[in-house]
Amino acid sequence: MEIFDISVNINENMPVYKNREEKKPKIILDKEYKKDNINESSIHMNLHTGTHLDAPFHTFEKGKTIEELDISQLITPCTVLDLTDISEKITSADLEKFDINKGDFILLKTQNSYDTEFNFEFVFLEKSGAEYLANKKIKGVGIDSLGIERSQENHPTHSILMGEDIYILEGLNLKYVDAGKYKLIALPIKIDGVDGAPVRAVLVNEDSSQ
Amino acid sequence: MEIFDISVNINENMPVYKNREEKKPKIILDKEYKKDNINESSIHMNLHTGTHLDAPFHTFEKGKTIEELDISQLITPCTVLDLTDISEKITSADLEKFDINKGDFILLKTQNSYDTEFNFEFVFLEKSGAEYLANKKIKGVGIDSLGIERSQENHPTHSILMGEDIYILEGLNLKYVDAGKYKLIALPIKIDGVDGAPVRAVLVNEDSSQ
């Protein structure tokens, strides 16, 4: 069994959406070994920090929240698509080249995986691409940027996908994985009533019996 | 594939260690649909809240931190032991009754799984039980209380286990799983340099080909 960690590191200097100060996590060492004979920390973080899962409640006034999502959808075969030749946005035309089927979980590997800081012009899934994937009735989609869309009024990519109960993973690091088929494990921490949650996402290469 | 969620829910009213106010998570809705056309939250939480993995840095001044741990140890066959007949602490004598072998990942199901609030007298793994498991060279151990030990000076249970690189999961909910063999998935979110991290832990019942 070969495991690829596709999660980004969470720390106070990590890239955050549009470099907004309030989105930077704060990590506090509340107890320190020298004084307390133990180290114990707390964190303050936006729930869309680093590698995370969006819940429909992020986009819809009465959408499902993180703890209501079906985790069996997040232990699943998946396919990494190589879209690193695209420089602006992923459209339906870009996706038609691939064999995408009902129930697939698709990870979009783009140039974003090579960014070392927040890129205001990150490659995103354009509305037509989201419609294409929704029509295919995929199970979920992930991308290697902190958002799956930008610069689209009323965030149609989120609405189209979530309207079809398609799970959205953001903030993946796909730099070290090639296109191909894997098993994805991407379980969100179980926070009640919220719009998103951090995930430790991995890809597993199992033997052919799987 | 049958999946058992063995994680507790994280919310502002959940049980926290010794009911300490500063250990209760705070969840803040920073952006609200009615005003911002989106819901977006942040959390402030102790990193040993709910279901979590301890890192050696919790116990040792220069121990390994969460992001340095080997996640391949946390996607693994495991065994749930039924210890619900014990009312105070788990000793070596209690563990000798079971067939425990090198490389096993052991989950200790106790009366704690039935507590609905923090129990100051929770069942814990006593020093002799930790020594027994360390001598067996197990891979990891999990328990259904917020701590794997209490009322032992200098926390020997943590030191003995971590001294042998045995992973420690705390805050599991084993109420709904029977004793037996499963596959465990328990990956900590990837926070740099810290002593613990929340985990969405599940048990998977796979077919015999696994």
Side-chain angles (χ1 to χ4, degrees):
Chain A
M1 184 173 78
E2 196 178 8
I3 298 174
F4 300 93
D5 189 354
I6 56 168
S7 312
V8 302
N9 290 63
I10 297 173
N11 58 59
E12 296 193 344
N13 302 310
M14 68 188 297
V16 295
Y17 201 71
K18 295 191 177 177
N19 295 333
R20 288 176 181 149
E21 197 57 36
E22 72 274 16
K23 300 220 181 209
K24 292 186 182 169
K26 306 273 179 298
I27 299 168
I28 306 110
L29 191 62
D30 297 311
K31 293 187 182 180
E32 201 168 343
Y33 191 86
K34 283 205 170 85
K35 192 160 58 76
D36 305 301
N37 204 25
I38 202 175
N39 291 303
E40 196 171 299
S41 306
S42 59
I43 195 166
H44 184 118
M45 69 190 298
N46 180 292
L47 289 174
H48 301 260
T49 300
T51 307
H52 67 278
L53 183 74
D54 277 358
F57 181 62
H58 185 43
T59 302
F60 298 128
E61 188 173 3
K62 296 185 190 301
K64 279 189 185 172
T65 49
I66 280 290
E67 86 286 6
E68 296 177 320
L69 300 183
D70 176 6
I71 52 174
S72 75
Q73 303 293 299
L74 296 157
I75 303 176
T76 175
C78 86
T79 306
V80 176
L81 303 184
D82 186 341
L83 297 159
T84 53
D85 57 331
I86 293 173
S87 56
E88 190 196 351
K89 59 190 181 185
I90 301 163
T91 65
S92 58
D94 298 315
L95 295 169
E96 280 164 11
K97 300 167 191 167
F98 298 98
D99 181 32
I100 298 173
N101 298 296
K102 183 177 175 181
D104 285 352
F105 205 116
I106 301 294
L107 303 187
L108 308 167
K109 179 179 178 175
T110 76
Q111 294 175 1
N112 301 329
S113 276
Y114 301 89
D115 288 335
T116 53
E117 53 188 57
F118 183 76
N119 177 0
F120 283 78
E121 302 294 313
F122 67 82
V123 177
F124 66 101
L125 180 63
E126 194 253 354
K127 182 185 166 185
S128 72
E131 276 166 353
Y132 183 81
L133 294 177
N135 288 334
K136 287 283 185 184
K137 299 195 181 305
I138 66 164
K139 178 193 290 182
V141 58
I143 195 164
D144 50 5
S145 57
L146 282 168
I148 198 163
E149 70 182 306
R150 63 173 172 81
S151 313
Q152 297 188 124
E153 200 175 355
N154 290 325
H155 37 79
T157 292
H158 277 84
S159 304
I160 291 163
L161 295 172
M162 285 176 164
E164 295 295 326
D165 288 324
I166 295 168
Y167 286 28
I168 302 174
L169 284 170
E170 296 174 325
L172 298 171
N173 175 14
L174 300 172
K175 190 170 167 181
Y176 303 107
V177 291
D178 295 326
K181 293 191 182 297
Y182 302 87
K183 181 172 175 179
L184 169 72
I185 302 174
L187 302 174
I189 61 170
K190 194 176 178 179
I191 310 174
D192 285 342
V194 295
D195 40 87
V199 161
R200 180 67 172 269
V202 299
L203 295 180
V204 182
N205 234 338
E206 292 179 305
D207 62 31
S208 56
S209 72
Q210 188 58 24
Chain B
M1 184 174 77
E2 196 179 6
I3 298 174
F4 300 93
D5 189 355
I6 55 168
S7 312
V8 302
N9 290 64
I10 297 172
N11 58 59
E12 296 192 345
N13 302 311
M14 69 189 296
V16 295
Y17 201 73
K18 296 192 176 176
N19 294 334
R20 288 176 182 149
E21 196 57 37
E22 73 273 16
K23 299 221 181 210
K24 293 186 181 167
K26 306 273 178 300
I27 299 168
I28 306 112
L29 191 62
D30 297 311
K31 292 188 182 179
E32 202 168 342
Y33 190 86
K34 285 207 168 84
K35 190 161 59 76
D36 304 302
N37 203 26
I38 201 174
N39 292 303
E40 196 171 298
S41 305
S42 58
I43 195 166
H44 184 119
M45 70 191 298
N46 179 291
L47 289 174
H48 302 259
T49 300
T51 308
H52 67 278
L53 183 74
D54 278 358
F57 181 63
H58 185 42
T59 302
F60 298 128
E61 189 174 3
K62 296 185 189 304
K64 279 189 185 172
T65 50
I66 281 290
E67 86 287 6
E68 295 178 320
L69 299 183
D70 176 6
I71 52 174
S72 74
Q73 303 292 300
L74 296 158
I75 304 175
T76 175
C78 85
T79 306
V80 176
L81 303 185
D82 186 340
L83 297 159
T84 53
D85 58 330
I86 293 173
S87 57
E88 189 196 353
K89 59 191 179 184
I90 301 163
T91 65
S92 58
D94 298 315
L95 295 169
E96 280 164 11
K97 301 168 191 167
F98 298 98
D99 181 31
I100 298 173
N101 298 295
K102 183 178 176 182
D104 285 353
F105 205 115
I106 301 294
L107 302 187
L108 308 168
K109 178 178 178 175
T110 77
Q111 295 176 0
N112 301 329
S113 276
Y114 300 90
D115 289 335
T116 54
E117 53 189 55
F118 183 77
N119 177 359
F120 283 78
E121 302 294 313
F122 67 81
V123 177
F124 67 101
L125 179 63
E126 194 253 353
K127 183 184 165 184
S128 73
E131 275 166 354
Y132 183 82
L133 295 177
N135 287 334
K136 287 284 185 183
K137 299 195 181 305
I138 65 164
K139 180 193 287 181
V141 57
I143 195 163
D144 49 5
S145 57
L146 282 168
I148 198 164
E149 70 181 305
R150 63 173 170 80
S151 312
Q152 298 188 124
E153 200 176 354
N154 290 325
H155 39 77
T157 292
H158 277 84
S159 303
I160 291 164
L161 296 172
M162 286 177 164
E164 295 294 327
D165 288 324
I166 295 169
Y167 287 29
I168 302 174
L169 283 170
E170 297 174 324
L172 298 171
N173 174 13
L174 300 173
K175 190 170 168 181
Y176 303 107
V177 291
D178 295 325
K181 293 189 181 298
Y182 302 87
K183 181 173 175 179
L184 169 72
I185 302 174
L187 303 174
I189 61 170
K190 194 178 179 178
I191 309 175
D192 285 342
V194 295
D195 40 270
V199 161
R200 181 66 172 271
V202 299
L203 295 180
V204 182
N205 234 338
E206 292 179 306
D207 63 31
S208 56
S209 73
Q210 190 56 22

